[in-house]
Amino acid sequence: MTTRVIWVRKDATFREMAVALRNYRVSAFPVVDDDQKVIGVVSEADMLNKEALDDEPGVISGILHRRDQAKARGVTAGDLMTAAVVAVRPDDTVEHAAKLMYDRRVKRLPVTDANGRLVGIISRADVLSVFDRTDEAIRQEITDEVILGQFLMDPRTLDVTVKDGIVTVTGRPETSETGHEIVRQIRHVQGVVAVRDRLDYPPPERPVDRFDVAASFPMD
C-alpha cells in the first residue's frame, strides 16, 4: 500500500478536488472526518457527472441514472462521495484486495485500521506489483515455506521449476490428497502466474471392506 494518501474533508469544494486530481494524478479521494475515519470516496466518475449535466432539467434523466442526478448537482465532497466505502485492512492479503477491486469495479481501496481510520491506499498497480518477484524467490518460498514448512516434506521429494512466474511441479507425493493440497498452496504464493501440475499421483487408497476383514479370519 501507499501511506502517502491524498484525502479530502467532507466540505472540500468541487474546484479544490478537480485541481488536486490534476496535480496529484490520482483517480479517487478518500473522504475523512475529524477523527481521520473514512466516511466516503469521491472518484473521477462521480465528478464527471457534472460534465454530463445539461442546462435543461428534462434532459438529465435521459443522460444520467437517477441516483447520479444529485451528484451531478453536487458542489462538495459530501455531495459527491459514495458513502458505502469498500476498504481493506493492512493485514489483508493481496488476493483479497484484488478480488474486491474486481467484484466492485474500483481502481483503488482505502486501507483502514481496526477503528476505521485511514492509514493508506492500495491501487491496481500495487496489487500487480507482486508479480515483480524473481523466479528464484518464488521457487525458494515454495520449497522452504510450502513443501518443507507447511507439509514437513523433504523438498527434494518434488521438483519445482519456475519460469516467468509459471510454476511446474513434478514428483510423487505421499498421497493424492497431499499432492492436491500442495498445488493449491502453491497457487497462493505471491508472484505465481500459473501452476503446471505434473505430479505423479498415487492411486487413492481403497477403503477396507468389513466383509474382507471378516473373510480373512474364518470362523470355526
Side-chain angles (χ1 to χ4, degrees), residues 112-165:
T112 59
D113 63 16
N115 296 314
R117 293 188 178 90
L118 183 67
V119 296
I121 197 162
I122 186 169
S123 67
R124 290 177 177 176
D126 294 327
V127 170
L128 293 174
S129 68
V130 300
F131 294 103
D132 287 343
R133 296 188 73 190
T134 65
D135 291 338
E136 178 56 27
I138 295 171
R139 191 195 69 80
Q140 199 70 43
E141 180 174 343
I142 292 171
T143 57
D144 293 352
E145 299 185 25
V146 176
I147 298 175
L148 177 60
Q150 295 185 36
F151 294 90
L152 304 179
M153 291 175 54
D154 184 345
R156 294 171 296 183
T157 304
L158 304 178
D159 183 42
V160 177
T161 58
V162 186
K163 176 65 174 176
D164 297 327

Side-chain angles (χ1 to χ4, degrees), residues 58-97:
V59 179
I60 299 175
S61 60
I63 299 177
L64 303 174
H65 295 294
R66 184 177 299 275
R67 66 180 181 177
D68 292 333
Q69 293 179 18
K71 288 185 178 183
R73 300 187 181 96
V75 295
T76 67
D79 298 330
L80 296 167
M81 73 181 188
T82 299
V85 180
V86 182
V88 292
R89 297 287 180 83
D91 56 351
D92 282 339
T93 65
V94 174
E95 290 85 358
H96 175 67

Side-chain angles (χ1 to χ4, degrees), residues 96 159 168 181 208:
H96 175 67
D159 183 42
T168 302
E181 183 61 20
V208 177

Side-chain angles (χ1 to χ4, degrees), residues 142 147 153-161 167-173 179 182-183 186 195-201:
I142 292 171
I147 298 175
M153 291 175 54
D154 184 345
R156 294 171 296 183
T157 304
L158 304 178
D159 183 42
V160 177
T161 58
V167 179
T168 302
V169 54
T170 60
R172 188 178 179 87
I182 288 174
V183 171
I186 290 175
V195 180
R196 292 174 177 165
D197 182 357
R198 301 291 187 266
L199 292 176
D200 178 20
Y201 289 97

